[in-house]
């Protein structure tokens, strides 16, 4: 059975919301800027996972607007679902329960940061598919 995970693309005023991941060695992409998301649990749909993970990580509810694409990470062997979502409520660092920080960046700003694999992959595929 294929392991699955979600990545949430949150855009407001031409900026993307990113999470600075924890420094823990046992997690994927430690201490890097990445999208919110996480592992799909047994019996859970990727859409339900996206909503659950966002609420667990920053106490926000969301609506899924569309699925961009599915990508296999060859290192982890996870199938990742990239969803564009709209958040309900205000993004506040004080609500962050996972990760070190949360910030909005433009595409150009985030490329200058220490970023997780999925950020690079997302922007590459976005340009290729011209969504």
């Amino acid at each position: 059975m294929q392991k699955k995970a979600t990545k949430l693309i949150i855009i407001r005023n031409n900026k993307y919301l990113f999470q600075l991941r924890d420094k823990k060695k046992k997690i994927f992409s430690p201490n890097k800027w990445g999208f919110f998301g996480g592992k799909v649990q047994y019996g859970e749909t990727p859409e339900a996972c996206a909503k659950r993970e966002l609420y667990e990580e920053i106490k926000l509810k969301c609506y899924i607007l569309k699925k961009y694409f599915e990508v296999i990470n060859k290192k982890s062997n996870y199938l990742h679902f990239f969803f564009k979502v709209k958040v309900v409520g205000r993004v506040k660092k004080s609500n962050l329960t996972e990760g070190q920080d949360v910030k909005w960046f433009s595409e150009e700003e985030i490329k200058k940061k220490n970023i997780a694999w999925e950020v690079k992959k997302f922007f590459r595929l976005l340009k290729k598919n011209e969504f």
Side-chain angles (χ1 to χ4, degrees):
M1 181 182 226
Q2 176 73 58
K3 298 183 283 184
K4 300 175 184 173
T6 59
K7 299 298 176 194
L8 285 72
I9 314 305
I10 304 166
I11 307 167
R12 193 178 285 163
N13 299 324
N14 294 317
K15 293 203 172 195
Y16 296 81
L17 186 65
F18 292 97
Q19 173 195 49
L20 180 58
R21 298 184 49 80
D22 287 316
K23 292 182 183 180
K24 299 174 185 174
K25 291 180 183 179
K26 294 183 180 182
I27 66 171
F28 292 112
S29 303
N31 205 37
K32 293 184 178 187
W33 289 97
F35 296 117
F36 284 92
K39 296 177 187 175
V40 177
Q41 296 176 352
Y42 179 77
E44 184 178 45
T45 66
E47 293 82 359
C49 171
K51 293 176 182 181
R52 176 184 54 76
E53 285 287 345
L54 190 65
Y55 192 79
E56 286 177 1
E57 294 175 2
I58 196 163
K59 303 294 181 222
L60 288 173
K61 293 184 180 182
C62 69
Y63 296 99
I64 295 177
L65 301 174
K66 72 176 180 178
K67 179 172 76 171
Y68 281 111
F69 28 73
E70 300 174 14
V71 176
I72 293 180
N73 180 327
K74 292 177 184 173
K75 287 184 181 179
S76 68
N77 198 34
Y78 270 80
L79 174 62
H80 291 263
F81 295 81
F82 287 75
F83 292 108
K84 181 178 183 179
V85 301
K86 179 176 179 158
V87 294
V88 177
R90 197 166 148 232
V91 175
K92 295 189 270 182
K93 184 178 176 181
S94 60
N95 287 350
L96 192 64
T97 61
E98 191 175 301
Q100 303 172 67
D101 203 357
V102 58
K103 286 191 181 173
W104 296 93
F105 294 110
S106 69
E107 182 180 347
E108 291 309 312
E109 290 170 328
I110 196 62
K111 287 179 179 178
K112 297 173 186 173
K113 304 287 182 186
N114 186 16
I115 56 177
W117 77 272
E118 77 266 8
V119 177
K120 295 174 190 173
K121 189 70 163 181
F122 172 76
F123 286 115
R124 224 177 295 129
L125 289 172
L126 188 68
K127 290 196 181 345
K128 180 179 177 184
N129 293 308
E130 296 183 25
F131 282 91

